[in-house]
Amino acid sequence: RSLFLSISYVLGMSVTYALVGIIIAALGQNLQTLFQSPITIGFFAALFIVLALSMFDFYNLALPQSWQAKLASKSNKQNNGAYLGAFTMGVLSTLILSPCVTAPLVGALTYIAKTSNMALGGFSLLFLGFGMGTPLIIIGASAGKLLPKAGNWMNHIKHLFGVLLLVIAISLSERILPAAITMLCWSVLLIISSIFLGLFNKELNNNKDIFAKGFSILLFGYGLMILIGVAMGNSSPYQPLLNTNVMK
């Protein structure tokens, strides 16, 4: 029963993605042009920053309490374990949580819009949904036995995802912002991340602390090099100290 409930949930999610793929393919080149516009790129970069800051507990992104109460009331009225209810939850979760997979989703949608192939669009995103749902099916089939135990490690994972979201935001911004600004953003991200990892932690009690300390020093050093590169007028975060005058 747990297996089939999980499959129903993932089917709802996958079918919704497939419909989105078909719609995007039907819109074709017009949507591809929209994805490449500075306004759209700036919107997604800002969206990733908003999501990232919530990962660091600056605020809590949640539906209004009135909406939550209504959803909970409707959910409680459904028969426990209804397959249609699980399917519906999969559809709703796709519509609500899609920003969490915006980066790969935008890439897939851009390619689909370029081809204008509705069959390709539908099946591509259908399998995207299946791929995302496979871990859910495995965990659901175990009736919760494979769910990890809650602990402080979950906060570390949340912070890691916050950093990754900021990485995506800066990568998108490189296409519309001056190189000096994006290099400064890379420097700030690396230096602050090194502090989170324990750059100033003086207590090294085990190998994990030693590894975190060493990695934080590397991040801080590279972030500092990028900051110096900005002051030198360089434009590449990958070669921040490259002397362009010597190259010329």
Side-chain angles (χ1 to χ4, degrees):
R1 186 176 181 83
S2 299
L3 173 64
F4 285 114
L5 283 171
S6 301
I7 292 175
S8 299
Y9 179 90
V10 173
L11 277 176
M13 186 172 66
S14 302
V15 169
T16 306
Y17 274 123
L19 292 175
V20 171
I22 293 172
I23 294 171
I24 296 303
L27 294 175
Q29 295 290 336
N30 293 331
L31 195 65
Q32 184 188 12
T33 303
L34 178 64
F35 281 156
Q36 300 300 325
S37 70
I39 295 176
T40 304
I41 294 173
F43 169 77
F44 281 116
L47 176 63
F48 282 124
I49 292 174
V50 170
L51 292 173
L53 293 179
S54 70
M55 293 290 183
F56 295 109
D57 298 322
F58 281 91
Y59 42 77
N60 183 30
L61 291 179
L63 292 173
Q65 291 293 334
S66 59
W67 292 19
Q68 293 185 32
K70 290 180 181 179
L71 289 173
S73 176
K74 290 182 179 181
S75 177
N76 292 332
K77 290 179 181 179
Q78 291 184 355
N79 293 329
N80 185 29
Y83 296 120
L84 181 60
F87 183 91
T88 305
M89 289 174 64
V91 173
L92 294 176
S93 69
T94 301
L95 298 176
I96 295 171
L97 301 178
S98 286
C100 297
V101 291
T102 301
L105 189 58
V106 168
L109 294 179
T110 302
Y111 178 76
I112 291 169
K114 184 177 180 180
T115 62
S116 299
N117 188 327
M118 289 190 287
L120 175 66
F123 281 109
S124 296
L125 291 198
L126 179 68
F127 286 112
L128 172 68
F130 284 149
M132 293 172 56
T134 298
L136 300 178
I137 293 175
I138 295 173
I139 294 175
S142 71
K145 294 179 181 178
L146 294 180
L147 281 174
K149 295 181 180 179
N152 190 47
W153 68 273
M154 298 182 71
N155 290 324
H156 297 314
I157 297 297
K158 185 172 68 171
H159 295 158
L160 175 61
F161 276 107
V163 172
L164 293 177
L165 288 170
L166 289 175
V167 168
I168 297 172
I170 298 173
S171 299
L172 288 173
S173 300
E174 287 180 331
R175 302 167 62 181
I176 59 175
L177 293 178
I181 295 178
T182 55
M183 282 186 68
L184 184 61
C185 291
W186 283 119
S187 176
V188 171
L189 178 60
L190 291 172
I191 291 175
I192 293 178
S193 297
S194 70
I195 296 174
F196 265 100
L197 274 174
L199 178 66
F200 301 112
N201 183 18
K202 296 181 180 180
E203 297 182 3
L204 303 178
N205 299 320
N206 49 51
N207 291 335
K208 183 181 70 174
D209 292 341
I210 296 173
F211 178 83
K213 181 77 170 183
F215 195 64
S216 67
I217 293 173
L218 290 175
L219 290 180
F220 179 80
Y222 192 53
L224 190 60
M225 285 194 294
I226 294 177
L227 188 61
I228 295 172
V230 174
M232 294 172 58
N234 291 333
S235 59
S236 173
Y238 307 105
Q239 294 179 309
L241 301 182
L242 180 66
N243 192 330
T244 54
N245 294 325
V246 173
M247 294 297 294
K248 292 178 180 179

PDB file of all heavy atoms in Angstrom, residues 44-74:
ATOM      1  N   PHE A  44      15.091  35.342 -12.153  1.00  0.00           N
ATOM      2  CA  PHE A  44      15.469  34.045 -11.597  1.00  0.00           C
ATOM      3  C   PHE A  44      16.645  34.181 -10.623  1.00  0.00           C
ATOM      4  O   PHE A  44      16.694  33.486  -9.609  1.00  0.00           O
ATOM      5  CB  PHE A  44      15.812  33.070 -12.719  1.00  0.00           C
ATOM      6  CG  PHE A  44      14.609  32.467 -13.390  1.00  0.00           C
ATOM      7  CD1 PHE A  44      14.332  32.706 -14.727  1.00  0.00           C
ATOM      8  CD2 PHE A  44      13.742  31.661 -12.670  1.00  0.00           C
ATOM      9  CE1 PHE A  44      13.216  32.158 -15.336  1.00  0.00           C
ATOM     10  CE2 PHE A  44      12.626  31.101 -13.273  1.00  0.00           C
ATOM     11  CZ  PHE A  44      12.354  31.356 -14.615  1.00  0.00           C
ATOM     12  N   ALA A  45      17.585  35.076 -10.929  1.00  0.00           N
ATOM     13  CA  ALA A  45      18.698  35.299 -10.003  1.00  0.00           C
ATOM     14  C   ALA A  45      18.178  35.820  -8.667  1.00  0.00           C
ATOM     15  O   ALA A  45      18.602  35.360  -7.597  1.00  0.00           O
ATOM     16  CB  ALA A  45      19.699  36.286 -10.617  1.00  0.00           C
ATOM     17  N   ALA A  46      17.240  36.765  -8.723  1.00  0.00           N
ATOM     18  CA  ALA A  46      16.649  37.297  -7.485  1.00  0.00           C
ATOM     19  C   ALA A  46      15.870  36.220  -6.742  1.00  0.00           C
ATOM     20  O   ALA A  46      15.901  36.151  -5.506  1.00  0.00           O
ATOM     21  CB  ALA A  46      15.743  38.482  -7.818  1.00  0.00           C
ATOM     22  N   LEU A  47      15.181  35.355  -7.500  1.00  0.00           N
ATOM     23  CA  LEU A  47      14.420  34.271  -6.879  1.00  0.00           C
ATOM     24  C   LEU A  47      15.338  33.328  -6.114  1.00  0.00           C
ATOM     25  O   LEU A  47      15.037  32.920  -4.982  1.00  0.00           O
ATOM     26  CB  LEU A  47      13.643  33.502  -7.948  1.00  0.00           C
ATOM     27  CG  LEU A  47      12.864  32.270  -7.480  1.00  0.00           C
ATOM     28  CD1 LEU A  47      11.778  32.662  -6.492  1.00  0.00           C
ATOM     29  CD2 LEU A  47      12.258  31.533  -8.672  1.00  0.00           C
ATOM     30  N   PHE A  48      16.494  33.001  -6.718  1.00  0.00           N
ATOM     31  CA  PHE A  48      17.448  32.115  -6.051  1.00  0.00           C
ATOM     32  C   PHE A  48      18.006  32.765  -4.786  1.00  0.00           C
ATOM     33  O   PHE A  48      18.247  32.078  -3.790  1.00  0.00           O
ATOM     34  CB  PHE A  48      18.584  31.742  -7.000  1.00  0.00           C
ATOM     35  CG  PHE A  48      18.209  30.684  -7.991  1.00  0.00           C
ATOM     36  CD1 PHE A  48      18.354  30.909  -9.349  1.00  0.00           C
ATOM     37  CD2 PHE A  48      17.707  29.464  -7.572  1.00  0.00           C
ATOM     38  CE1 PHE A  48      18.006  29.934 -10.268  1.00  0.00           C
ATOM     39  CE2 PHE A  48      17.361  28.483  -8.483  1.00  0.00           C
ATOM     40  CZ  PHE A  48      17.501  28.723  -9.846  1.00  0.00           C
ATOM     41  N   ILE A  49      18.224  34.066  -4.815  1.00  0.00           N
ATOM     42  CA  ILE A  49      18.733  34.765  -3.627  1.00  0.00           C
ATOM     43  C   ILE A  49      17.689  34.720  -2.511  1.00  0.00           C
ATOM     44  O   ILE A  49      18.017  34.471  -1.344  1.00  0.00           O
ATOM     45  CB  ILE A  49      19.091  36.220  -3.981  1.00  0.00           C
ATOM     46  CG1 ILE A  49      20.300  36.246  -4.928  1.00  0.00           C
ATOM     47  CG2 ILE A  49      19.400  37.016  -2.718  1.00  0.00           C
ATOM     48  CD1 ILE A  49      20.630  37.623  -5.452  1.00  0.00           C
ATOM     49  N   VAL A  50      16.428  34.940  -2.867  1.00  0.00           N
ATOM     50  CA  VAL A  50      15.340  34.876  -1.876  1.00  0.00           C
ATOM     51  C   VAL A  50      15.268  33.488  -1.246  1.00  0.00           C
ATOM     52  O   VAL A  50      15.151  33.341  -0.020  1.00  0.00           O
ATOM     53  CB  VAL A  50      13.998  35.261  -2.528  1.00  0.00           C
ATOM     54  CG1 VAL A  50      12.834  34.966  -1.583  1.00  0.00           C
ATOM     55  CG2 VAL A  50      14.000  36.734  -2.911  1.00  0.00           C
ATOM     56  N   LEU A  51      15.346  32.448  -2.087  1.00  0.00           N
ATOM     57  CA  LEU A  51      15.295  31.077  -1.580  1.00  0.00           C
ATOM     58  C   LEU A  51      16.520  30.768  -0.716  1.00  0.00           C
ATOM     59  O   LEU A  51      16.414  30.089   0.304  1.00  0.00           O
ATOM     60  CB  LEU A  51      15.221  30.095  -2.750  1.00  0.00           C
ATOM     61  CG  LEU A  51      13.930  30.120  -3.575  1.00  0.00           C
ATOM     62  CD1 LEU A  51      14.064  29.223  -4.803  1.00  0.00           C
ATOM     63  CD2 LEU A  51      12.739  29.701  -2.752  1.00  0.00           C
ATOM     64  N   ALA A  52      17.689  31.268  -1.140  1.00  0.00           N
ATOM     65  CA  ALA A  52      18.921  31.003  -0.398  1.00  0.00           C
ATOM     66  C   ALA A  52      18.876  31.627   0.995  1.00  0.00           C
ATOM     67  O   ALA A  52      19.262  31.005   1.986  1.00  0.00           O
ATOM     68  CB  ALA A  52      20.129  31.528  -1.173  1.00  0.00           C
ATOM     69  N   LEU A  53      18.405  32.866   1.084  1.00  0.00           N
ATOM     70  CA  LEU A  53      18.347  33.537   2.385  1.00  0.00           C
ATOM     71  C   LEU A  53      17.400  32.822   3.342  1.00  0.00           C
ATOM     72  O   LEU A  53      17.628  32.818   4.554  1.00  0.00           O
ATOM     73  CB  LEU A  53      17.922  35.000   2.201  1.00  0.00           C
ATOM     74  CG  LEU A  53      18.922  35.899   1.472  1.00  0.00           C
ATOM     75  CD1 LEU A  53      18.371  37.311   1.334  1.00  0.00           C
ATOM     76  CD2 LEU A  53      20.269  35.916   2.184  1.00  0.00           C
ATOM     77  N   SER A  54      16.345  32.202   2.795  1.00  0.00           N
ATOM     78  CA  SER A  54      15.451  31.430   3.663  1.00  0.00           C
ATOM     79  C   SER A  54      16.160  30.193   4.205  1.00  0.00           C
ATOM     80  O   SER A  54      15.846  29.727   5.305  1.00  0.00           O
ATOM     81  CB  SER A  54      14.191  31.029   2.900  1.00  0.00           C
ATOM     82  OG  SER A  54      14.475  30.048   1.913  1.00  0.00           O
ATOM     83  N   MET A  55      17.117  29.646   3.447  1.00  0.00           N
ATOM     84  CA  MET A  55      17.889  28.499   3.920  1.00  0.00           C
ATOM     85  C   MET A  55      18.776  28.865   5.103  1.00  0.00           C
ATOM     86  O   MET A  55      19.127  28.012   5.919  1.00  0.00           O
ATOM     87  CB  MET A  55      18.754  27.937   2.787  1.00  0.00           C
ATOM     88  CG  MET A  55      17.973  27.309   1.654  1.00  0.00           C
ATOM     89  SD  MET A  55      17.185  25.774   2.161  1.00  0.00           S
ATOM     90  CE  MET A  55      16.452  25.260   0.605  1.00  0.00           C
ATOM     91  N   PHE A  56      19.150  30.147   5.191  1.00  0.00           N
ATOM     92  CA  PHE A  56      19.984  30.609   6.303  1.00  0.00           C
ATOM     93  C   PHE A  56      19.133  31.210   7.423  1.00  0.00           C
ATOM     94  O   PHE A  56      19.657  31.927   8.283  1.00  0.00           O
ATOM     95  CB  PHE A  56      21.002  31.636   5.805  1.00  0.00           C
ATOM     96  CG  PHE A  56      22.012  31.065   4.843  1.00  0.00           C
ATOM     97  CD1 PHE A  56      21.973  31.401   3.503  1.00  0.00           C
ATOM     98  CD2 PHE A  56      22.980  30.179   5.274  1.00  0.00           C
ATOM     99  CE1 PHE A  56      22.889  30.871   2.616  1.00  0.00           C
ATOM    100  CE2 PHE A  56      23.906  29.646   4.395  1.00  0.00           C
ATOM    101  CZ  PHE A  56      23.856  29.991   3.056  1.00  0.00           C
ATOM    102  N   ASP A  57      17.819  30.942   7.378  1.00  0.00           N
ATOM    103  CA  ASP A  57      16.893  31.338   8.446  1.00  0.00           C
ATOM    104  C   ASP A  57      16.758  32.847   8.618  1.00  0.00           C
ATOM    105  O   ASP A  57      16.453  33.321   9.719  1.00  0.00           O
ATOM    106  CB  ASP A  57      17.310  30.706   9.785  1.00  0.00           C
ATOM    107  CG  ASP A  57      17.274  29.186   9.733  1.00  0.00           C
ATOM    108  OD1 ASP A  57      16.364  28.643   9.089  1.00  0.00           O
ATOM    109  OD2 ASP A  57      18.166  28.548  10.331  1.00  0.00           O
ATOM    110  N   PHE A  58      16.966  33.611   7.528  1.00  0.00           N
ATOM    111  CA  PHE A  58      16.677  35.039   7.612  1.00  0.00           C
ATOM    112  C   PHE A  58      15.174  35.263   7.716  1.00  0.00           C
ATOM    113  O   PHE A  58      14.714  36.238   8.302  1.00  0.00           O
ATOM    114  CB  PHE A  58      17.236  35.764   6.386  1.00  0.00           C
ATOM    115  CG  PHE A  58      18.710  36.012   6.459  1.00  0.00           C
ATOM    116  CD1 PHE A  58      19.619  35.092   5.949  1.00  0.00           C
ATOM    117  CD2 PHE A  58      19.208  37.163   7.051  1.00  0.00           C
ATOM    118  CE1 PHE A  58      20.989  35.315   6.019  1.00  0.00           C
ATOM    119  CE2 PHE A  58      20.575  37.393   7.128  1.00  0.00           C
ATOM    120  CZ  PHE A  58      21.464  36.464   6.611  1.00  0.00           C
ATOM    121  N   TYR A  59      14.418  34.359   7.113  1.00  0.00           N
ATOM    122  CA  TYR A  59      12.967  34.384   7.208  1.00  0.00           C
ATOM    123  C   TYR A  59      12.470  32.997   6.840  1.00  0.00           C
ATOM    124  O   TYR A  59      13.231  32.155   6.353  1.00  0.00           O
ATOM    125  CB  TYR A  59      12.348  35.448   6.289  1.00  0.00           C
ATOM    126  CG  TYR A  59      12.973  35.510   4.922  1.00  0.00           C
ATOM    127  CD1 TYR A  59      12.677  34.566   3.943  1.00  0.00           C
ATOM    128  CD2 TYR A  59      13.884  36.514   4.599  1.00  0.00           C
ATOM    129  CE1 TYR A  59      13.262  34.612   2.695  1.00  0.00           C
ATOM    130  CE2 TYR A  59      14.478  36.569   3.360  1.00  0.00           C
ATOM    131  CZ  TYR A  59      14.161  35.627   2.407  1.00  0.00           C
ATOM    132  OH  TYR A  59      14.742  35.676   1.176  1.00  0.00           O
ATOM    133  N   ASN A  60      11.191  32.774   7.056  1.00  0.00           N
ATOM    134  CA  ASN A  60      10.594  31.466   6.789  1.00  0.00           C
ATOM    135  C   ASN A  60       9.577  31.601   5.667  1.00  0.00           C
ATOM    136  O   ASN A  60       8.586  32.326   5.799  1.00  0.00           O
ATOM    137  CB  ASN A  60       9.927  30.916   8.052  1.00  0.00           C
ATOM    138  CG  ASN A  60       9.355  29.522   7.824  1.00  0.00           C
ATOM    139  OD1 ASN A  60       9.866  28.758   7.011  1.00  0.00           O
ATOM    140  ND2 ASN A  60       8.287  29.206   8.533  1.00  0.00           N
ATOM    141  N   LEU A  61       9.846  30.936   4.536  1.00  0.00           N
ATOM    142  CA  LEU A  61       8.915  30.957   3.426  1.00  0.00           C
ATOM    143  C   LEU A  61       7.820  29.919   3.676  1.00  0.00           C
ATOM    144  O   LEU A  61       8.096  28.728   3.773  1.00  0.00           O
ATOM    145  CB  LEU A  61       9.640  30.635   2.109  1.00  0.00           C
ATOM    146  CG  LEU A  61      10.617  31.698   1.596  1.00  0.00           C
ATOM    147  CD1 LEU A  61      11.275  31.223   0.309  1.00  0.00           C
ATOM    148  CD2 LEU A  61       9.911  33.017   1.355  1.00  0.00           C
ATOM    149  N   ALA A  62       6.609  30.369   3.795  1.00  0.00           N
ATOM    150  CA  ALA A  62       5.489  29.459   4.060  1.00  0.00           C
ATOM    151  C   ALA A  62       4.200  30.102   3.571  1.00  0.00           C
ATOM    152  O   ALA A  62       4.114  31.324   3.405  1.00  0.00           O
ATOM    153  CB  ALA A  62       5.383  29.152   5.555  1.00  0.00           C
ATOM    154  N   LEU A  63       3.207  29.265   3.317  1.00  0.00           N
ATOM    155  CA  LEU A  63       1.893  29.771   2.950  1.00  0.00           C
ATOM    156  C   LEU A  63       1.275  30.521   4.125  1.00  0.00           C
ATOM    157  O   LEU A  63       1.591  30.233   5.281  1.00  0.00           O
ATOM    158  CB  LEU A  63       0.979  28.609   2.544  1.00  0.00           C
ATOM    159  CG  LEU A  63       1.326  27.865   1.250  1.00  0.00           C
ATOM    160  CD1 LEU A  63       0.418  26.652   1.102  1.00  0.00           C
ATOM    161  CD2 LEU A  63       1.193  28.770   0.044  1.00  0.00           C
ATOM    162  N   PRO A  64       0.401  31.483   3.854  1.00  0.00           N
ATOM    163  CA  PRO A  64      -0.298  32.164   4.963  1.00  0.00           C
ATOM    164  C   PRO A  64      -1.036  31.164   5.846  1.00  0.00           C
ATOM    165  O   PRO A  64      -1.488  30.113   5.378  1.00  0.00           O
ATOM    166  CB  PRO A  64      -1.280  33.096   4.221  1.00  0.00           C
ATOM    167  CG  PRO A  64      -0.659  33.307   2.874  1.00  0.00           C
ATOM    168  CD  PRO A  64       0.057  32.037   2.538  1.00  0.00           C
ATOM    169  N   GLN A  65      -1.162  31.511   7.121  1.00  0.00           N
ATOM    170  CA  GLN A  65      -1.799  30.605   8.081  1.00  0.00           C
ATOM    171  C   GLN A  65      -3.221  30.238   7.674  1.00  0.00           C
ATOM    172  O   GLN A  65      -3.661  29.098   7.869  1.00  0.00           O
ATOM    173  CB  GLN A  65      -1.798  31.257   9.471  1.00  0.00           C
ATOM    174  CG  GLN A  65      -0.433  31.401  10.112  1.00  0.00           C
ATOM    175  CD  GLN A  65       0.173  30.047  10.466  1.00  0.00           C
ATOM    176  OE1 GLN A  65      -0.538  29.065  10.688  1.00  0.00           O
ATOM    177  NE2 GLN A  65       1.499  29.996  10.495  1.00  0.00           N
ATOM    178  N   SER A  66      -3.955  31.197   7.099  1.00  0.00           N
ATOM    179  CA  SER A  66      -5.329  30.911   6.687  1.00  0.00           C
ATOM    180  C   SER A  66      -5.361  29.850   5.590  1.00  0.00           C
ATOM    181  O   SER A  66      -6.224  28.962   5.591  1.00  0.00           O
ATOM    182  CB  SER A  66      -6.009  32.190   6.204  1.00  0.00           C
ATOM    183  OG  SER A  66      -5.285  32.758   5.109  1.00  0.00           O
ATOM    184  N   TRP A  67      -4.389  29.935   4.639  1.00  0.00           N
ATOM    185  CA  TRP A  67      -4.312  28.942   3.567  1.00  0.00           C
ATOM    186  C   TRP A  67      -3.945  27.577   4.135  1.00  0.00           C
ATOM    187  O   TRP A  67      -4.499  26.559   3.731  1.00  0.00           O
ATOM    188  CB  TRP A  67      -3.286  29.369   2.529  1.00  0.00           C
ATOM    189  CG  TRP A  67      -3.667  30.575   1.738  1.00  0.00           C
ATOM    190  CD1 TRP A  67      -4.600  31.521   2.067  1.00  0.00           C
ATOM    191  CD2 TRP A  67      -3.120  30.976   0.487  1.00  0.00           C
ATOM    192  NE1 TRP A  67      -4.659  32.490   1.111  1.00  0.00           N
ATOM    193  CE2 TRP A  67      -3.764  32.187   0.126  1.00  0.00           C
ATOM    194  CE3 TRP A  67      -2.151  30.463  -0.343  1.00  0.00           C
ATOM    195  CZ2 TRP A  67      -3.454  32.864  -1.047  1.00  0.00           C
ATOM    196  CZ3 TRP A  67      -1.843  31.127  -1.521  1.00  0.00           C
ATOM    197  CH2 TRP A  67      -2.494  32.317  -1.868  1.00  0.00           C
ATOM    198  N   GLN A  68      -2.985  27.571   5.062  1.00  0.00           N
ATOM    199  CA  GLN A  68      -2.570  26.303   5.666  1.00  0.00           C
ATOM    200  C   GLN A  68      -3.725  25.634   6.396  1.00  0.00           C
ATOM    201  O   GLN A  68      -3.898  24.417   6.329  1.00  0.00           O
ATOM    202  CB  GLN A  68      -1.408  26.549   6.630  1.00  0.00           C
ATOM    203  CG  GLN A  68      -0.118  26.987   5.964  1.00  0.00           C
ATOM    204  CD  GLN A  68       1.033  27.103   6.948  1.00  0.00           C
ATOM    205  OE1 GLN A  68       1.098  26.356   7.928  1.00  0.00           O
ATOM    206  NE2 GLN A  68       1.933  28.029   6.712  1.00  0.00           N
ATOM    207  N   ALA A  69      -4.530  26.439   7.090  1.00  0.00           N
ATOM    208  CA  ALA A  69      -5.663  25.884   7.827  1.00  0.00           C
ATOM    209  C   ALA A  69      -6.687  25.265   6.879  1.00  0.00           C
ATOM    210  O   ALA A  69      -7.217  24.181   7.136  1.00  0.00           O
ATOM    211  CB  ALA A  69      -6.314  26.980   8.669  1.00  0.00           C
ATOM    212  N   LYS A  70      -6.958  25.948   5.763  1.00  0.00           N
ATOM    213  CA  LYS A  70      -7.921  25.428   4.790  1.00  0.00           C
ATOM    214  C   LYS A  70      -7.423  24.137   4.150  1.00  0.00           C
ATOM    215  O   LYS A  70      -8.178  23.179   3.978  1.00  0.00           O
ATOM    216  CB  LYS A  70      -8.193  26.476   3.719  1.00  0.00           C
ATOM    217  CG  LYS A  70      -8.985  27.682   4.221  1.00  0.00           C
ATOM    218  CD  LYS A  70      -9.223  28.688   3.113  1.00  0.00           C
ATOM    219  CE  LYS A  70      -9.997  29.891   3.624  1.00  0.00           C
ATOM    220  NZ  LYS A  70     -10.214  30.902   2.561  1.00  0.00           N
ATOM    221  N   LEU A  71      -6.130  24.113   3.789  1.00  0.00           N
ATOM    222  CA  LEU A  71      -5.562  22.910   3.186  1.00  0.00           C
ATOM    223  C   LEU A  71      -5.587  21.742   4.167  1.00  0.00           C
ATOM    224  O   LEU A  71      -5.882  20.607   3.796  1.00  0.00           O
ATOM    225  CB  LEU A  71      -4.133  23.187   2.714  1.00  0.00           C
ATOM    226  CG  LEU A  71      -3.992  24.093   1.490  1.00  0.00           C
ATOM    227  CD1 LEU A  71      -2.520  24.421   1.236  1.00  0.00           C
ATOM    228  CD2 LEU A  71      -4.598  23.437   0.261  1.00  0.00           C
ATOM    229  N   ALA A  72      -5.243  22.032   5.431  1.00  0.00           N
ATOM    230  CA  ALA A  72      -5.243  20.971   6.443  1.00  0.00           C
ATOM    231  C   ALA A  72      -6.658  20.437   6.663  1.00  0.00           C
ATOM    232  O   ALA A  72      -6.865  19.237   6.830  1.00  0.00           O
ATOM    233  CB  ALA A  72      -4.673  21.504   7.753  1.00  0.00           C
ATOM    234  N   SER A  73      -7.645  21.344   6.635  1.00  0.00           N
ATOM    235  CA  SER A  73      -9.036  20.926   6.833  1.00  0.00           C
ATOM    236  C   SER A  73      -9.496  20.012   5.699  1.00  0.00           C
ATOM    237  O   SER A  73     -10.120  18.973   5.934  1.00  0.00           O
ATOM    238  CB  SER A  73      -9.936  22.161   6.918  1.00  0.00           C
ATOM    239  OG  SER A  73     -11.283  21.781   7.016  1.00  0.00           O
ATOM    240  N   LYS A  74      -9.171  20.376   4.461  1.00  0.00           N
ATOM    241  CA  LYS A  74      -9.562  19.555   3.316  1.00  0.00           C
ATOM    242  C   LYS A  74      -8.828  18.219   3.327  1.00  0.00           C
ATOM    243  O   LYS A  74      -9.381  17.184   2.971  1.00  0.00           O
ATOM    244  CB  LYS A  74      -9.282  20.301   2.023  1.00  0.00           C
ATOM    245  CG  LYS A  74     -10.201  21.497   1.801  1.00  0.00           C
ATOM    246  CD  LYS A  74      -9.917  22.173   0.484  1.00  0.00           C
ATOM    247  CE  LYS A  74     -10.865  23.345   0.271  1.00  0.00           C
ATOM    248  NZ  LYS A  74     -10.617  24.028  -1.031  1.00  0.00           N
TER     249      LYS A  74
END
